[in-house]
Amino acid sequence: MTVLDKVAPEGSKAGERVSPRPTFRHRLSRWDVKVSPYLYIAPFFIVFGIVGLFPLLYTAYVSTFKWKAGDDDPDFIGLDNYKELFADSQFWNALVNTISIFLLSSVPQLVFAVLLAALLGARLRGATGWRVGILLPYAASLVAIGIIFANLFGPKYGLVNGVLQTIGLDPIDWQANRFGSHVAIAIMVNWRWTGYNALIVLAAMQAIPKELHEAALIDGAGTWRRFFNVTLPLLKPTLIFVIITSTIGGLQIFTEPKLFDAMPGSNNGGSTNQFQTVTLYLYQTAFQNASLGYASAIAWVLFLIIILIALVNFFLTGRIARTPAVKKK
Amino acid sequence: MRTIRNGLVLALGITMTALGASACSGGGEQQPPAAANPNEHVDLTLATFTEFGYEDLIPEYERLHPNIKITHHKTGQGGPYHEELVTKLAAGSGLADVTALEEGHLSDFLDKGSKFNDLSKIGPADASPDRWLNWKYEAAKTKDGKLIGYGTDIGPLAMCYRKDMFKAAGLPDDPEAVKPLFATWDSYFAAGADFVKKSNGKAWFDSASQNFNAMVNQLPEGYIGTDDKLAVEKNQGIKDAWAKVTDAVAKGESAKLTAFSNEWNTGFAQGAFATKVCPAWMLGVIKEHAGPENAGKWAVTAAFPGGGGNWGGSFLTVPTQSKHPREAAELAAWLTAPEQQIKAFQAKGNFPSQVKALTDPALLSYTNPYFGDTKVGELFAEQAKKVQKPQYKGPGDGQIQENATQPALQAVEQGKSAADGWNQLVEAAKKITR
């Protein structure tokens, strides 16, 4: 691109490479070279600035006030909201719930997604039908799923407890039992996302060159051996992507626990907050208690936690991803 | 074209006058805005939630006032509706000219009284205090005596019960004969313990918080004292109610079904409990969920433990954001006039709060076939008159009920001890009011 700079403007004499007074067209083309790239990428930064950066910074600003919605002049209290937050047992409880639900959903989800992808990658009759089929839960309305699952896991008249009782087990109060509620919510999340992740893994699986499998086959590797020694190592970059996206989604889980509550419209996450997640607590603080300052502090702490976990993810997975390359040498 | 422009100029003039009037409201006497011009074209908005029964009334009002065009915004659930109202009040724009408020949320808005017009000043003369039951009228007054809302419906309390389940347990089942069981809360819970024993562990009521809410509503003060400070620990009435309700839970009287949950809905169809505190609007809920196969099994009687009580009902307000406060107040007054309230009652069963409506033959002769052709209009009119005065509710009262009391009682039903549950309630209430 910079080559353009040196091209003499039209009408200049040969040999006179740089005119002492550049013409308007010349200057225009120089600006074009310097400015255009920024203009081309500007829309992203402008939009990001308005809907991403500004809210982020403004939230940080609001978090330094005792700000009730409708207050005319909120009090500046510095970092007091954060001090209060770190001593707030409800926040820590919500954080533990979030991480528990996240682990209960992400780990099995990943395992099942890879297994499903391996199954779908095998020679199947009507492969497209199966592949579309596992994506269907993802296309269903999240709210509808939430309501249906909350019904299934009803303590008295729910289908799941009905099944448990017919096979001679004790019914579980899915909303009262802390671990039970986490399992139920994780099942909701898994049902929706496993197929979606399986398709991403499947796409990566199909990009693995056939020759590698053939070579392994000639070397005498069985199906499982090939899966663990050929397929899985080559899937690593894709798995990293899937892990990071599901981490971000998992830490922000909101709709499922909100709809799982027996009390309609409640943000409590159960009678003793047994399944209240951080975003649910954030929502309750901001829009039910109208404490905008405190809610902003929660939002910022959640943001920092997500960044922290993403960084840990990045370093860990980066290290794992490097290993196959080393082996090749 | 000219008339429209003239209209605009006039509207502007009226708005300016209205603004001027509200601007100088600081000094005691508030001037009413200029009289409405009957030829001026005015667009009004009306915001309600769930069912108010105004669908046929709005075209009628527009027919009577050809210069007025009403846009009606209906919202499904009350909770999100009121959350949005707080945001719009804070933002200073977006509220409808006539905005409905529910009784349970009213205290939060009485606290922000400066953002609403005083209807006793700008409303039409026929909307005088004697139109309403006294306690309904008083409930919408701020501490400094400003009337921010016209009462619409009310929820006078009576007791609903399952005739067949009473009979099976050997209890009296005739509406007159059951009245002594529902005389006081003590007799009610004692009858419940008796019922549980005689019916092999069937539940007496749907959930603890439904009864507890009604008991607390009967007290002169709620969770917040008249000094607007949290009084839950000092309020002996609340403590007694807590002891009685949790004791009943321990005796197996509760079906432990959270109100308005799916399980609760199913509970009506399955006959999971024998009695239900019944505000007038609850009859429709029971009929819907218990279904036609249970017709005639439910009954309602003109008795309620501890006298009368009210649960629910709404108010129509005119926020100061409104550009046409005078016209909006006129519309709100018309919608809450006895004649219109009777029509809303016939359309959706919202029980009127107007003295004249309560003696109207259309209301008194109204029967409900689902409840064995009981004259429910007459029954609830009787119950409405038993309510003496409004409870003092400070800001945050409704939220304590929803986010402190209800979860705490639910936790007790799920196995927490009554003492731990009480601590949970107090801690959560402190957090809400801090």
Side-chain angles (χ1 to χ4, degrees):
Chain A
M1 285 288 265
T2 43
V3 175
L4 275 176
D5 269 18
K6 284 160 190 160
V7 172
E10 244 176 90
S12 65
K13 281 172 195 165
E16 211 177 29
R17 290 190 61 104
V18 181
S19 60
R21 286 197 54 169
T23 63
F24 177 69
R25 274 189 79 167
H26 184 111
R27 267 183 290 170
L28 200 65
S29 77
R30 237 154 106 178
W31 289 337
D32 181 30
V33 170
K34 281 190 178 156
V35 179
S36 306
Y38 295 105
L39 284 180
Y40 293 141
I41 55 164
F44 167 76
F45 285 98
I46 292 169
V47 172
F48 173 76
I50 295 170
V51 302
L53 194 63
F54 171 72
L56 195 68
L57 297 177
Y58 191 66
T59 306
Y61 168 76
V62 173
S63 74
T64 57
F65 287 87
K66 188 175 173 65
W67 195 319
K68 279 260 175 193
D71 275 2
D72 294 329
D73 45 342
D75 302 327
F76 178 78
I77 53 167
L79 293 177
D80 281 4
N81 277 328
Y82 292 92
K83 272 186 218 154
E84 198 180 330
L85 186 63
F86 287 122
D88 181 353
S89 61
Q90 196 178 349
F91 172 72
W92 294 112
N93 170 62
L95 190 61
V96 170
N97 290 343
T98 308
I99 292 172
S100 161
I101 293 172
F102 157 64
L103 288 178
L104 281 172
S105 53
S106 287
V107 176
Q109 193 183 117
L110 209 65
V111 174
F112 278 112
V114 173
L115 290 179
L116 265 180
L119 276 178
L120 288 173
R123 260 187 235 138
L124 283 173
R125 201 172 288 179
T128 319
W130 291 105
R131 286 172 195 174
V132 173
I134 63 160
L135 197 63
L136 276 183
Y138 175 70
S141 146
L142 182 54
V143 174
I145 294 171
I147 292 168
I148 291 168
F149 272 77
N151 259 322
L152 292 180
F153 286 100
K156 250 193 184 155
Y157 305 112
L159 183 68
V160 176
N161 273 348
V163 171
L164 285 182
Q165 276 167 306
T166 32
I167 58 170
L169 294 172
D170 285 334
I172 297 167
D173 191 339
W174 294 99
Q175 266 128 12
N177 183 312
R178 192 175 185 193
F179 185 69
S181 64
H182 293 185
V183 170
I185 292 169
I187 289 176
M188 240 185 272
V189 178
N190 289 338
W191 187 79
R192 183 171 154 87
W193 287 96
T194 307
Y196 173 85
N197 285 330
L199 281 194
I200 294 177
V201 176
L202 176 66
M205 247 182 215
Q206 299 205 316
I208 297 172
K210 272 209 178 80
E211 292 80 8
L212 288 176
H213 276 286
E214 282 163 6
L217 204 61
I218 290 167
D219 287 345
T223 315
W224 285 108
R225 185 78 199 246
R226 271 184 288 134
F227 179 72
F228 283 107
N229 288 28
V230 180
T231 313
L232 271 190
L234 289 168
L235 280 183
K236 264 173 192 165
T238 310
L239 291 182
I240 290 166
F241 169 76
V242 171
I243 290 171
I244 290 183
T245 48
S246 69
T247 307
I248 295 172
L251 291 175
Q252 297 182 345
I253 185 165
F254 171 75
T255 316
E256 290 91 345
K258 180 161 168 79
L259 293 174
F260 190 63
D261 206 311
M263 202 179 124
S266 162
N267 302 311
N268 294 319
S271 59
T272 50
N273 308 120
Q274 54 273 64
F275 52 92
Q276 188 178 49
T277 58
V278 176
T279 29
L280 199 50
Y281 183 42
L282 162 69
Y283 179 83
Q284 180 174 42
T285 313
F287 300 107
Q288 204 168 22
N289 303 355
S291 302
L292 299 182
Y294 196 60
S296 300
I298 299 175
W300 253 86
V301 172
L302 179 64
F303 171 67
L304 293 179
I305 290 172
I306 292 179
I307 296 254
L308 190 79
I309 294 182
L311 281 178
V312 170
N313 251 330
F314 183 73
F315 283 119
L316 278 183
T317 48
R319 181 169 283 190
I320 299 165
R322 234 175 282 127
T323 38
V326 174
K327 270 185 197 159
K328 257 183 222 163
K329 277 181 187 171
Chain B
M1 207 49 207
R2 170 164 292 176
T3 47
I4 292 175
R5 197 177 302 149
N6 286 348
L8 279 175
V9 170
L10 239 170
L12 198 73
I14 288 172
T15 316
M16 298 299 275
T17 328
L19 283 175
S22 56
C24 65
S25 62
E29 202 78 356
Q30 190 180 8
Q31 277 177 6
N37 180 337
N39 299 317
E40 178 203 2
H41 179 82
V42 175
D43 284 310
L44 290 179
T45 50
L46 165 69
T48 62
F49 53 93
T50 63
E51 301 294 346
F52 274 66
Y54 290 167
E55 284 69 22
D56 298 330
L57 294 179
I58 290 168
E60 191 182 335
Y61 191 78
E62 285 176 334
R63 239 186 346 265
L64 295 170
H65 303 77
N67 62 320
I68 286 178
K69 172 94 188 61
I70 300 167
T71 314
H72 185 189
H73 301 290
K74 268 178 81 173
T75 311
Q77 273 183 317
Y81 169 86
H82 288 92
E83 275 167 31
E84 206 183 314
L85 286 192
V86 177
T87 320
K88 285 175 175 170
L89 265 187
S93 71
L95 287 175
D97 295 298
V98 178
T99 298
L101 292 183
E102 211 264 337
E103 172 240 1
H105 294 268
L106 182 67
S107 61
D108 292 333
F109 295 96
L110 283 172
D111 199 35
K112 300 178 176 71
S114 63
K115 300 206 154 104
F116 294 91
N117 282 296
D118 187 349
L119 294 175
S120 64
K121 298 266 165 58
I122 69 160
D126 65 324
S128 55
D130 58 355
R131 176 187 276 184
W132 286 273
L133 287 167
N134 182 46
W135 54 270
K136 180 75 176 178
Y137 183 83
E138 291 294 320
K141 270 188 169 173
T142 63
K143 277 200 160 166
D144 47 6
K146 213 170 145 181
L147 183 78
I148 70 161
Y150 286 144
T152 60
D153 58 322
I154 49 174
L157 284 161
M159 192 56 86
C160 291
Y161 66 98
R162 280 281 296 253
K163 270 182 141 174
D164 56 330
M165 290 171 78
F166 271 48
K167 205 171 197 169
L171 265 57
D173 65 317
D174 181 73
E176 284 305 313
V178 294
K179 277 184 178 172
L181 301 182
F182 306 138
T184 65
W185 285 106
D186 288 324
S187 71
Y188 173 73
F189 288 127
D194 189 35
F195 172 84
V196 173
K197 254 182 242 151
K198 286 180 178 164
S199 66
N200 280 330
K202 280 213 172 106
W204 179 240
F205 52 80
D206 53 339
S207 72
S209 65
Q210 291 282 295
N211 293 317
F212 189 76
N213 289 352
M215 291 164 92
V216 172
N217 275 339
Q218 287 174 329
L219 301 170
E221 281 178 31
Y223 299 102
I224 312 284
T226 38
D227 56 353
D228 282 351
K229 294 221 168 73
L230 185 66
V232 60
E233 281 175 294
K234 283 185 287 179
N235 193 323
Q236 194 56 41
I238 295 181
K239 278 188 191 169
D240 291 344
W242 179 269
K244 281 177 194 172
V245 167
T246 51
D247 181 53
V249 171
K251 285 179 179 150
E253 292 183 37
S254 171
K256 306 176 184 181
L257 297 168
T258 309
F260 302 102
S261 69
N262 290 314
E263 294 258 306
W264 186 72
N265 298 347
T266 315
F268 280 108
Q270 303 271 350
F273 42 88
T275 64
K276 171 86 202 74
V277 293
C278 256
W281 45 266
M282 188 64 83
L283 300 187
V285 178
I286 293 179
K287 186 183 168 189
E288 189 190 333
H289 296 308
E293 63 273 19
N294 286 315
K297 290 184 185 167
W298 277 98
V300 57
T301 187
F304 194 75
N310 179 66
W311 188 337
S314 298
F315 297 85
L316 295 182
T317 66
V318 179
T320 48
Q321 286 177 22
S322 168
K323 291 201 174 72
H324 308 286
R326 180 97 189 181
E327 289 82 354
E330 245 168 57
L331 170 63
W334 186 82
L335 285 171
T336 53
E339 306 79 56
Q340 276 66 249
Q341 286 299 297
I342 293 282
K343 285 179 191 162
F345 170 74
Q346 285 163 339
K348 298 286 175 190
N350 295 9
F351 204 79
S353 60
Q354 290 72 11
V355 181
K356 256 195 200 159
L358 293 182
T359 53
D360 193 293
L363 183 100
L364 294 179
S365 63
Y366 185 82
T367 60
N368 190 327
Y370 194 84
F371 287 78
D373 282 323
T374 312
K375 281 193 169 178
V376 292
E378 193 183 347
L379 187 151
F380 281 106
E382 189 183 327
Q383 290 302 100
K385 285 172 196 152
K386 288 183 189 168
V387 184
Q388 295 306 316
K389 57 175 194 169
Q391 177 182 60
Y392 179 78
K393 280 187 172 146
D397 190 281
Q399 222 195 318
I400 292 175
Q401 193 185 65
E402 268 175 43
N403 294 317
T405 308
Q406 202 152 322
L409 279 168
Q410 201 189 345
V412 171
E413 288 177 329
Q414 289 169 347
K416 217 176 196 182
S417 76
D420 286 351
W422 175 258
N423 288 338
Q424 183 184 331
L425 159 63
V426 172
E427 286 312 309
K430 275 183 185 162
K431 214 173 161 185
I432 289 166
T433 49
R434 89 185 147 179

